[in-house]
Amino acid sequence: GMRYQRTVASPNGEDFLYIFYNPESGTYIQLLYNLIRQEVDTPLICHGQTLFERGEMVCFRGQDTPQKHHAIQIWQTPFTAPDYQPDSQSDSLLFKIGNKEIVRGMAECSELLQLVDKDDSYEGLYLDLEKKATDILDSYFWIDKPETEHLAEPLRKVRETAAAAVEEFDKVVRVRRDTDTRTAEVRKAVESLIKSIERGRFETIDDFVSALAQLRQQRGHALGLKELRYVDEAVVEQLETVTAERSERISRRCVDFLLTPGSLDPYVQRVATAGDQVAAVATVAEAKKLEEEIDTAGSQLELLTETVSNLRIEDTTKRTEIIDSIGDVFASLNRVRSSLKARVGELVSVE
């Protein structure tokens, strides 16, 4: 049943008194709002009040029953008369600035404090902090004066901290984005490789070597994701498991293929061809190119040896047979490598 009656503003621009009245009971409720704190004080309930020139407020409360004594409350308030001039230092900087201007500045500082107390539940908080601190520093020339307690110093620190937080947040966003992009690339490469292997016919040893090498490479890429910040470890483990399982299957098929006669013939032919090319090498550049081909073949043979060695083969004679066959090719390859080295020595001396 309360009705708004009037608002009383203090000359200092900081406080406002909102008065509500119930015409049936004669009750007043007075709400004091402070602009700087941005808070409403405890409501003052009475049945009548009067404000005096110096800001004193006299109010009383009626009783339901007759009383011999009636208590009168006297409050000192900031609601002075418009023409009232309190005792002050008229030559001070604060007096020259004016209370209303200072109140506006303090109100904005209070808003900044409220932002500081907030949890960083939304990404725009630090941007708001930086903007608010900058606005206050730019709007009030007196904010850095000794009379105002050098308020610019903590404001600058708030702004610098907020700017650093924004930068760090942007950095985290970039790192997360880069990690997600790299994870997606590895996942796409693994899926593409698996599909390619499923479509493959594996008719030569080169098919097996190529698949095993690519699986090893992709597994290494998957393990490398663990070093990235904010990576989804579950995805990394899944990629690692998929590549490891597929590599196990191809390895077993490769071992079965190596037990067939002539499985290593492509390498035997390459070694023989390389041996024939050694005598025809005319320059060191040609020798380096041939050396790279020999090294590639050697690394592939090492991969085959490692594949056979890591698998559990019940018949050890089969393992030995395969490794011996690879060893024979290795021996031939090393002889060609030695011949090439001697040929390079001849070319270097001539050049």
Side-chain angles (χ1 to χ4, degrees):
M2 306 301 295
R3 298 179 182 178
Y4 169 76
Q5 188 181 59
R6 63 187 177 119
T7 299
V8 181
S10 65
N12 62 18
E14 179 179 350
D15 299 286
F16 297 86
L17 184 66
Y18 298 92
I19 303 176
F20 297 83
Y21 175 64
N22 189 320
E24 295 183 4
S25 63
T27 303
Y28 290 88
I29 292 183
Q30 303 179 88
L31 301 177
L32 177 63
Y33 175 74
N34 183 272
L35 184 62
I36 294 179
R37 297 196 311 271
Q38 299 185 3
E39 294 176 350
V40 177
D41 290 347
T42 303
L44 178 62
I45 302 174
C46 62
H47 290 89
Q49 85 287 107
T50 299
L51 286 166
F52 291 86
E53 181 181 20
R54 298 177 60 88
E56 298 94 339
M57 181 175 68
V58 176
C59 58
F60 71 92
R61 296 189 64 177
Q63 304 296 331
D64 295 336
T65 59
Q67 299 288 325
K68 187 174 183 179
H69 302 284
H70 297 272
I72 296 293
Q73 295 181 350
I74 301 178
W75 296 84
Q76 180 61 52
T77 73
F79 304 104
T80 58
D83 299 331
Y84 175 72
Q85 292 292 335
D87 296 333
S88 61
Q89 299 177 356
S90 58
D91 58 343
S92 70
L93 177 64
L94 296 182
F95 183 85
K96 295 176 181 178
I97 295 172
N99 204 72
K100 290 186 177 181
E101 173 75 2
I102 294 176
V103 167
R104 282 195 294 269
M106 294 304 96
E108 293 194 40
C109 288
S110 179
E111 294 176 11
L112 182 66
L113 287 174
Q114 291 179 16
L115 288 174
V116 170
D117 290 336
K118 283 182 176 291
D119 295 330
D120 55 347
S121 55
Y122 68 99
E123 64 180 69
L125 174 61
Y126 298 111
L127 290 172
D128 291 347
L129 280 168
E130 183 181 9
K131 182 179 183 301
K132 192 65 183 177
T134 301
D135 289 345
I136 297 174
L137 289 168
D138 293 344
S139 300
Y140 302 100
F141 72 91
W142 44 264
I143 205 74
D144 198 22
K145 302 297 182 181
E147 292 83 352
T148 55
E149 304 297 331
H150 298 289
L151 281 174
E153 183 177 349
L155 285 168
R156 291 193 187 100
K157 290 183 178 179
V158 169
R159 181 173 63 179
E160 291 170 3
T161 303
V166 170
E167 183 178 354
E168 182 64 24
F169 182 83
D170 291 340
K171 186 187 300 182
V172 169
V173 170
R174 288 196 303 271
V175 171
R176 287 185 184 275
R177 183 174 60 247
D178 294 343
T179 298
D180 292 342
T181 301
R182 179 57 184 159
T183 302
E185 290 175 353
V186 173
R187 175 186 285 175
K188 183 178 180 181
V190 170
E191 292 174 351
S192 176
L193 177 58
I194 297 299
K195 291 180 180 179
S196 175
I197 290 175
E198 290 175 349
R199 293 193 301 265
R201 300 182 63 179
F202 294 94
E203 297 177 342
T204 67
I205 190 62
D206 290 337
D207 296 333
F208 288 100
V209 171
S210 176
L212 289 171
Q214 291 182 70
L215 284 168
R216 171 181 283 190
Q217 183 183 42
Q218 294 304 327
R219 187 180 182 187
H221 290 165
L223 291 173
L225 293 175
K226 291 184 177 180
E227 300 178 3
L228 302 179
R229 295 177 64 186
Y230 310 111
V231 71
D232 189 341
E233 295 184 1
V235 174
V236 176
E237 292 178 1
Q238 179 189 6
L239 293 173
E240 181 186 358
T241 302
V242 168
T243 52
E245 290 177 351
R246 186 63 61 170
S247 182
E248 177 80 9
R249 296 181 193 175
I250 300 298
S251 296
R252 292 195 175 279
R253 291 178 60 185
C254 180
V255 169
D256 293 337
F257 183 83
L258 287 172
L259 289 172
T260 61
S263 60
L264 291 174
D265 285 351
Y267 286 99
V268 174
Q269 293 173 2
R270 287 175 199 166
V271 172
T273 302
D276 295 337
Q277 292 176 348
V278 170
V281 171
T283 62
V284 175
E286 293 178 6
K288 287 184 177 180
K289 183 178 180 181
L290 182 57
E291 184 180 8
E292 291 176 358
E293 295 177 2
I294 293 173
D295 290 340
T296 300
S299 62
Q300 292 173 348
L301 289 172
E302 289 175 359
L303 175 60
L304 287 176
T305 304
E306 182 181 342
T307 300
V308 176
S309 301
N310 290 337
L311 284 178
R312 294 179 181 178
I313 303 175
E314 296 179 359
D315 191 346
T316 56
T317 58
K318 293 182 178 180
R319 183 199 302 270
T320 305
E321 179 184 346
I322 295 173
I323 293 179
D324 287 345
S325 299
I326 298 174
D328 293 340
V329 180
F330 248 127
S332 301
L333 189 68
N334 287 332
R335 285 194 294 271
V336 174
R337 184 181 280 117
S338 299
S339 300
L340 180 62
K341 185 176 181 181
R343 179 60 179 161
V344 170
E346 296 174 1
L347 291 173
V348 169
S349 64
V350 171
E351 292 179 359

